[in-house]
Amino acid sequence: MASSPLVARVRGRQGAGRNALKAHDVRHHHPAAVAAVVTAAIAAAGKAAGIGLAVGGAPIPVAGFATLTVIFSVVGLVLALVLAPRARRPRTVFVRTTLVLTALSLVPDVLMLTHLAAAAMVIPAIARRRAA
């Protein structure tokens, strides 16, 4: 972790490490939070327009879109962390893997747009932080 500029700056300060590292963590989660709000807004707009938000007959609450976006963003982050030491080109492998998984998750209704919106925000944000 010494390669991170934030960690290098933090190590140079006494007592600032814990707070500075928390700020660093929040920054990594920010794209997932934005994606969660966007997917919930898309779902709410779809519901208001009369588009059904059900899978297999079970309705999905609007907040469920935000929750699952955050959960699967964390899954994406874990995937990136697992790939980092194993792949020769972790960013490329991560982007290709997540694009394939995103394509597989698409179903022909409002879910498609929410998946694409979340993926468009979260994949590049995580990929920028991975080694090429």
Side-chain angles (χ1 to χ4, degrees):
M1 242 182 148
S3 63
S4 168
L6 177 65
V7 172
R9 283 194 311 256
V10 167
R11 287 184 179 161
R13 296 186 203 156
Q14 291 183 5
R18 176 173 278 159
N19 292 336
L21 197 51
K22 283 183 183 176
H24 180 67
D25 290 343
V26 170
R27 200 172 45 148
H28 280 293
H29 292 94
H30 181 69
V34 173
V37 170
V38 170
T39 57
I42 292 168
K47 186 176 182 179
I51 298 171
L53 301 178
V55 174
I60 302 171
V62 171
F65 286 85
T67 302
L68 289 175
T69 298
V70 171
I71 289 169
F72 283 103
S73 295
V74 171
V75 169
L77 182 57
V78 169
L79 175 65
L81 294 172
V82 167
L83 290 173
R86 291 174 174 78
R88 189 169 56 97
R89 298 180 68 195
R91 181 186 308 173
T92 302
V93 174
F94 170 76
V95 170
R96 288 179 181 168
T97 302
T98 53
L99 289 176
V100 168
L101 291 172
T102 300
L104 291 173
S105 74
L106 299 178
V107 292
D109 59 15
V110 74
L111 292 176
M112 184 181 338
L113 186 56
T114 64
H115 289 158
L116 292 175
M121 289 178 258
V122 174
I123 292 170
I126 294 173
R128 278 192 298 272
R129 291 171 176 87
R130 301 290 71 166

